[in-house]
Structures are given as structure tokens and as C-alpha cells.
Amino acid sequence: MIAEAVKLIQAGELVAFPTETVYGLGANAFNEEACLKIYQAKGRPSNNPLIVHVASLEQAEELAIFNKEAYLLSKLWPGPLTMVLPRRNSSRLAECVTAGLSTVAIRVPAHRVARDLIIQSGVPIAAPSANKSGYLSPTSHRHVKAGFKSESVFVIDSETTTKYGLESTIIDLSTSVPTILRFGFITPQIIEQIIDRQVEIATKSSAIKAPGMMYTHYAPKTPIRINAISLEEGEIGLNFGGSKLNSKGSLNLSPTGDLAIAAANLFSYLHTLDDYARVNSLQRIAIAPIPNESIGLAINDRLIRATF
């Protein structure tokens, strides 16, 4: 299956593949026409840059200019961290990949299938999450196939599932102050410890320099209600820890209150509840409060964006 996917990437086609975060919708990052197909298939705004996936730090250095902090944080690669860095003029990246910006969002994925695809294709792969723009991110090949029934997308059916279930943390290192553009499993505290300086957090009014910054994002088709203490009529519950949003079909992100487990389950469970709600004519998904700390920052970020 990898061999077929490689041929399609080299031919300028779209391939959906697993990473350790979520499934990505990939194309040859050097091919403008191929990368424009990503925007078209997703219905993605043209001012929303793509993340470029590479196989190594050395390959990343061919595309971006690294500073001291970037080299320090590269110790977290392969892994769920994306860095926004100045783009090298010699990079040959398709213009639409960076949305015309002078920076590039780049990471080295840890998933074996993703790395094999990049290495065997011989090119960096631009890949946002493999979902329709604004909808829930996919954590399995089934989610991707359901979302792209009408599009020409080759989907790699991986037996190895996504590990984290949330998109990568994004840190902007292209300016004087390191800034978190998107929360993820790599928390601000981890980054601050490694680079030995404080980071800022992007605001709603910050310029879009990387994926995940659109304020309306990550939403199921069924409306959600966050910080719910009890269920209202027509709702199905998504619990955390010992919350009591109990109804037929309800789920618990982590009965033990483990934020890492909750984050890994978030999109998968929302997909399941979204399907259940629509089949059973329920009006809303009620979600229990999630502590806004550590990985909970990433969970709440996704949920808040899904309510708009």
C-alpha cells in the first residue's frame, strides 16, 4: 500500500496517511498544483498555511532557517511538535503551502507509515488534517473515507492507530518572542524548560501563520455544549472523570481523569457521538468540564473553537 501511495504522491495526487497525531491529507510540497488540490478537497481557506512533513532535521534545514531555540526543540523530533520558521528562499516549496508567507510550518512525524511515505517519495509532504475544513479531525482511516466520499483521495489503511489523537503543538520561532500558535501534547511548560525562556500564547486577533488558528474549527455536525454539569433534553453526554452526563450512548473520555487519555480519545469519541446523535435525532452533545491545565489546555482549545 505504501508503494502505491508513493507513486501517487510523485504523480501529484492526494494521499491520506496516519501520523502519531491525526490522519493527514498529503501532497508533494514542491508541487503547486498538487497542493492546491488539498485546499480544494478540504474547502480550506487559501490564507491558511499547510504543515510540511519531513523525515529528518537535515531535510527540515533545507526548507527552513533554524535558530538556537529551534535546534533545542528539534530534540523533540520525531514527535508532535510543529515549528514555524523563516522559509529558505532556495526551498522550492509551493507558494500555496506557506499561503504566501515568508515562514513555513514544519515537523518530523514519528509514525512509521508517515516516515516511510516521506522517505520513499523523496519529497517533503504538505499535509493538514484529513478532514473537511472546520470539521472534526480524523483519527482513523474510516473517518477519512467518510469525509471524502466524493473526492479522489487515496487512503492508507493503517493497522497502527494515531497515538495522541490531537494535532501537533505549534510554536512560532520566526519572531523575537517564541509564541504558541496551537496547543497540543507538547505543553508550554515543556517548551519553556527546553529553551529556558518564557513563551507567549497567540490571541484571537493574531495573524494566521499556521494551521489551527482559525477561530471556528474542530466542530462536529451536532452542536456541542461545554462545561456541562447535567444533561438537558435532547442531549448526549461526553464525560470526564466522575461526571454524571449519563444517557444511552454516552461516553467517558477518561473515567480516571487522565488528561492524556482524554486528549487521545477526544476526536474519536466526538466522531462516535456525532454519528449517534444524528441517527437518534439528538440536538446536542454535552461535554463535562475539563481542567484547563497541561494537556487540558489543548482539549479546551479544540472544544472552545468547536462551539463557534
Side-chain angles (χ1 to χ4, degrees):
M1 185 170 282
I2 288 288
E4 186 174 356
V6 166
K7 291 178 181 177
L8 289 168
I9 288 290
Q10 293 172 341
E13 301 300 330
L14 301 183
V15 172
F17 61 96
T19 77
E20 74 278 18
T21 58
V22 298
Y23 255 77
L25 182 64
N28 178 352
F30 292 151
N31 186 326
E32 179 81 8
E33 184 178 348
C35 290
L36 285 172
K37 291 178 182 179
I38 295 175
Y39 286 90
Q40 183 178 10
K42 284 176 62 72
R44 185 183 182 89
S46 60
N47 66 332
N48 197 358
L50 307 177
I51 292 176
V52 177
H53 294 68
V54 295
S56 66
L57 172 61
E58 292 72 25
Q59 191 176 17
E61 288 176 309
E62 296 175 359
L63 307 177
I65 299 170
F66 280 65
N67 57 21
K68 176 185 175 183
E69 284 83 9
Y71 280 117
L72 288 171
L73 289 173
S74 69
K75 297 173 184 177
L76 297 173
W77 283 351
L81 178 71
T82 294
M83 291 188 264
V84 173
L85 299 167
R87 168 184 173 174
R88 285 196 184 278
N89 292 333
S90 60
S91 69
R92 294 194 298 122
L93 287 170
E95 194 69 16
C96 69
V97 167
T98 59
L101 300 173
S102 61
T103 54
V104 58
I106 196 164
R107 87 176 185 99
V108 179
H111 198 289
R112 177 187 56 80
V113 172
R115 291 171 61 78
D116 286 349
L117 181 62
I118 297 166
I119 292 169
Q120 293 181 38
S121 297
V123 294
I125 294 179
S129 54
N131 59 324
K132 292 292 185 177
S133 187
Y135 186 54
L136 292 171
S137 295
T139 56
S140 80
H141 59 87
R142 291 180 295 277
H143 298 155
V144 181
K145 290 176 180 176
F148 292 97
K149 293 178 181 177
S150 304
E151 288 78 16
S152 179
V153 176
F154 181 81
V155 183
I156 298 177
D157 295 356
S158 175
E159 295 297 326
T160 308
T161 58
T162 58
K163 178 180 179 181
Y164 297 107
L166 283 182
E167 300 87 353
S168 60
T169 301
I170 302 180
I171 176 89
D172 183 6
L173 298 172
S174 67
T175 60
S176 59
V177 181
T179 303
I180 299 289
L181 304 185
R182 181 174 71 189
F183 290 114
F185 265 76
I186 306 299
T187 64
Q189 292 76 21
I190 292 173
I191 291 173
E192 288 175 340
Q193 287 174 2
I194 291 174
I195 66 175
D196 194 26
R197 60 180 298 195
Q198 285 190 318
V199 301
E200 292 188 354
I201 309 299
T203 65
K204 183 178 179 181
S205 60
S206 297
I208 295 173
K209 299 178 72 174
M213 295 184 70
M214 294 288 187
Y215 211 70
T216 303
H217 217 53
Y218 311 113
K221 292 182 173 66
T222 305
I224 69 171
R225 179 169 68 93
I226 60 176
N227 297 317
I229 304 301
S230 60
L231 285 180
E232 298 178 358
E233 186 177 351
E235 291 185 334
I236 187 170
L238 182 58
N239 290 283
F240 174 77
S243 63
K244 305 294 183 183
L245 306 178
N246 297 321
S247 63
K248 186 177 180 181
S250 65
L251 296 171
N252 195 316
L253 289 169
S254 171
T256 62
D258 187 309
L259 286 171
I261 293 174
N265 287 332
L266 180 64
F267 285 137
S268 176
Y269 283 14
L270 283 174
H271 274 285
T272 299
L273 292 178
D274 193 21
D275 291 342
Y276 185 93
R278 285 184 286 141
V279 168
N280 292 278
S281 301
L282 296 173
Q283 283 72 54
R284 199 159 52 186
I285 300 169
I287 304 173
I290 308 292
N292 200 37
E293 60 189 33
S294 183
I295 302 168
L297 291 168
I299 298 173
N300 282 302
D301 172 69
R302 304 310 194 271
L303 293 176
I304 289 169
R305 291 176 191 272
T307 62
F308 285 83

